[in-house]
Amino acid sequence: MKEGILIIGAGGVGRVVVHKCVQNLDVFKKITLASRTFSKCEKLQKEVNNKIDIAKVDADSIDKLVTLIEKVKPFMVLNIALPYQDLTIMEACLRTNVHYLDTANYEHPDSAKFEYKLQWAYQEKYKQKGIMGLLGSGFDPGVTNVFCAYLQKHYFDEIWNIDILDCNAGDHGYPFATNFNPEINLREVSAKGRYWENGKWIETGPLEIKQVWDYPEIGPKDSYLMYHEEMESLVKHIKGLKRIRFFMTFGESYLTHMKCLENVGMLRIDEVKVDGCKVIPLHLLKALLPDPATLGARTVGKTNIGVVAEGVKDGKHKKIYLYNVCDHQKAFKETGAQAVSYTTGVPAMIGAKLMVKGIYKKAGVYNLEELDPDPFMKELSEQGLPWQIKELS
Ligand code: NDP
């Protein structure tokens, strides 16, 4: 019988997922953590008093994944490794008839472009096997999709405009570090911006559009328009939508360092020959930067991630702000990880919990706004990510 869960990836987010799943052991029953570096699994196993099993796996290999899944026999796999592994893990789940969940959209290592096309292509295959794939169950994507679905269900007849606002006001004390995997983070931030208006995608230069937003419990911050993956599914699923944009805050020091690194070629993802060795500059930079998993102890401040939606209800114009504030030190005390990993790991656990309990049970591949937001919103409040709602007009 298939029971329990298999978590793949023992990084910053994996740490939170393990801690939160152990807190919900009555639901998950049996937890196995597998990752590339076995010592990281051993460390986490010790931290949770041996309440999990561990294994080593190369998640780039479908065959190795299938062997592991057949051995563990989980109800579902939580992909908490990198976006590069989405397709191999989805394929392994298909071959072994096991449900799937991830937190980030597939991206090919050689091209900094993410899109759902290849993951959505699994829709029919998953349907035929009667298994479910839940895509993007982190915070953004993830909770931001749930927030949009909740606003659509309870507050609007039609939503016209959505702004997703992501602020990290945490201070780790380093001149430059990223709060999640540096390679994925820097590829995302240095890419061209894009937003959707009147049925079309409009491209901007990287971080070309800026606005100041006053984030509750944090204050006013420069927020830059970026492309972000949840917009691709939200434009398909939110009724009457005319415009959707995504903004993220960056401090002066982060932007100056990133620009300088970009100007000297350190963000390049092609191979460069150095003294006869082949080096990918961004991989070298990743090796030099602080490991995001170690930032927890030194990060202070808060994150605020939310959605501002504008539209109509019963003929009246409405503008509503729905957001969560998360404190870095509070997250660290509970799980040993800072708030960026915490706000991603908690929703991953919640998505899995709702699937294990059969509350989310649908054959095929889904983004979160396609499912009932109410049980997810209830869990967010109970599992450490309480949300607040404000009517702006
Ligand atoms: P880390 O780099 O800290 O952790 C990734 C983990 O995956 C590491 O333990 C790594 O192993 C493991 N891994 C990488 N490649 C393989 C492989 N081929 N086989 C097995 N294990 C592998 O990243 P984070 O924890 O910061 O991020 C995890 C995921 O969460 C990423 O996909 C990221 O994009 C996503 N994310 C989503 C957010 C959201 O809100 N939706 C926000 C932030 C992150 P090793 O230790 O050997 O390197």
Side-chain angles (χ1 to χ4, degrees):
M1 198 185 86
K2 287 175 176 158
E3 199 189 51
I5 53 166
L6 170 61
I7 302 165
I8 300 182
V13 180
R15 149 181 293 279
V16 176
V17 176
V18 165
H19 276 269
K20 295 304 288 192
C21 287
V22 167
Q23 287 176 20
N24 288 270
L25 205 53
D26 56 323
V27 174
F28 294 111
K29 310 269 193 274
K30 183 172 165 269
I31 300 165
T32 306
L33 170 69
S35 198
R36 181 168 56 187
T37 308
F38 190 64
S39 57
K40 290 193 186 174
C41 301
E42 287 178 313
K43 189 167 178 273
L44 268 169
Q45 186 187 41
K46 253 196 209 139
E47 262 183 48
V48 295
N49 298 323
N50 297 315
K51 287 185 180 147
I52 59 168
D53 293 333
I54 52 172
K56 181 176 164 67
V57 74
D58 174 6
D60 290 323
S61 157
I62 297 170
D63 288 345
K64 286 181 180 150
L65 285 164
V66 166
T67 307
L68 177 68
I69 295 171
E70 280 173 347
K71 188 170 162 226
V72 175
K73 295 189 178 57
F75 170 80
M76 68 183 291
V77 174
L78 281 68
N79 168 12
I80 315 294
L82 298 179
Y84 311 142
Q85 282 84 45
D86 285 7
L87 297 182
T88 47
I89 301 178
M90 281 186 90
E91 180 61 33
C93 284
L94 182 73
R95 292 190 195 173
T96 50
N97 246 356
V98 159
H99 306 288
Y100 170 88
L101 173 149
D102 66 31
T103 67
N105 195 189
Y106 174 69
E107 203 177 328
H108 193 281
D110 297 338
S111 116
K113 180 176 185 232
F114 40 83
E115 57 182 352
Y116 276 114
K117 194 169 76 187
L118 295 172
Q119 292 185 272
W120 284 341
Y122 275 90
Q123 172 72 339
E124 276 315 307
K125 296 183 213 168
Y126 268 49
K127 253 193 186 155
Q128 277 166 20
K129 285 260 188 145
I131 55 172
M132 179 172 180
L134 184 56
L135 306 182
S137 192
F139 206 104
D140 46 343
V143 176
T144 48
N145 304 59
V146 176
F147 280 178
C148 290
Y150 185 77
L151 290 169
Q152 176 164 278
K153 182 173 174 182
H154 297 289
Y155 286 86
F156 289 95
D157 293 326
E158 250 183 32
I159 297 180
W160 297 329
N161 297 328
I162 293 174
D163 276 349
I164 300 169
L165 301 161
D166 179 331
C167 171
N168 178 8
D171 180 7
H172 44 60
Y174 286 117
F176 185 69
T178 63
N179 290 293
F180 69 96
N181 185 287
E183 190 181 333
I184 306 296
N185 177 274
L186 290 165
R187 279 163 66 122
E188 181 177 290
V189 179
S190 58
K192 284 191 173 155
R194 216 176 344 147
Y195 64 100
W196 188 88
E197 191 163 38
N198 297 325
K200 282 195 306 250
W201 289 104
I202 296 158
E203 199 169 84
T204 69
L207 310 183
E208 183 189 325
I209 296 179
K210 179 174 99 170
Q211 67 168 14
V212 177
W213 184 259
D214 193 355
Y215 294 89
E217 298 187 42
I218 290 173
K221 291 273 174 202
D222 288 345
S223 309
Y224 296 83
L225 187 143
M226 290 170 57
Y227 179 66
H228 222 247
E229 62 209 61
E230 64 265 54
M231 292 194 288
E232 189 186 356
S233 66
L234 286 167
V235 298
K236 283 177 60 155
H237 300 130
I238 298 296
K239 274 193 289 192
L241 194 63
K242 295 187 172 117
R243 187 185 74 193
I244 183 164
R245 306 181 298 182
F246 180 98
F247 291 88
M248 193 179 269
T249 61
F250 299 101
E252 278 294 308
S253 175
Y254 178 96
L255 291 178
T256 310
H257 277 81
M258 192 183 78
K259 198 74 218 148
C260 178
L261 291 164
E262 191 176 25
N263 286 343
V264 297
M266 283 302 291
L267 303 191
R268 281 173 58 176
I269 56 174
D270 54 327
E271 278 181 357
V272 177
K273 265 203 169 161
V274 184
D275 293 337
C277 298
K278 286 179 185 166
V279 178
I280 295 175
L282 187 54
H283 289 185
L284 173 64
L285 179 62
K286 177 176 183 264
L288 297 173
L289 287 174
D291 178 352
T294 64
L295 295 179
R298 43 188 298 149
T299 306
V300 292
K302 291 176 180 172
T303 62
N304 179 326
I305 315 173
V307 165
V308 175
E310 204 178 343
V312 67
K313 176 81 178 173
D314 300 329
K316 278 197 200 123
H317 174 264
K318 278 186 129 185
K319 192 171 181 183
I320 297 183
Y321 187 18
L322 175 53
Y323 61 89
N324 160 262
V325 176
C326 184
D327 184 283
H328 282 285
Q329 277 303 304
K330 204 169 157 218
F332 179 72
K333 280 189 189 104
E334 184 187 335
T335 59
Q338 36 82 5
V340 175
S341 301
Y342 189 88
T343 52
T344 309
V346 173
M349 181 281 292
I350 293 174
K353 182 171 176 180
L354 296 174
M355 286 170 73
V356 168
K357 288 178 87 171
I359 295 170
Y360 286 172
K361 191 177 180 192
K362 234 176 156 185
V365 169
Y366 297 94
N367 295 88
L368 267 163
E369 70 276 13
E370 295 176 85
L371 305 165
D372 182 5
D374 294 354
F376 207 107
M377 293 293 275
K378 184 169 177 283
E379 286 286 338
L380 282 171
S381 298
E382 290 167 0
Q383 301 287 343
L385 293 177
W387 41 272
Q388 314 209 33
I389 198 154
K390 269 190 181 175
E391 296 229 7
L392 300 182
S393 68

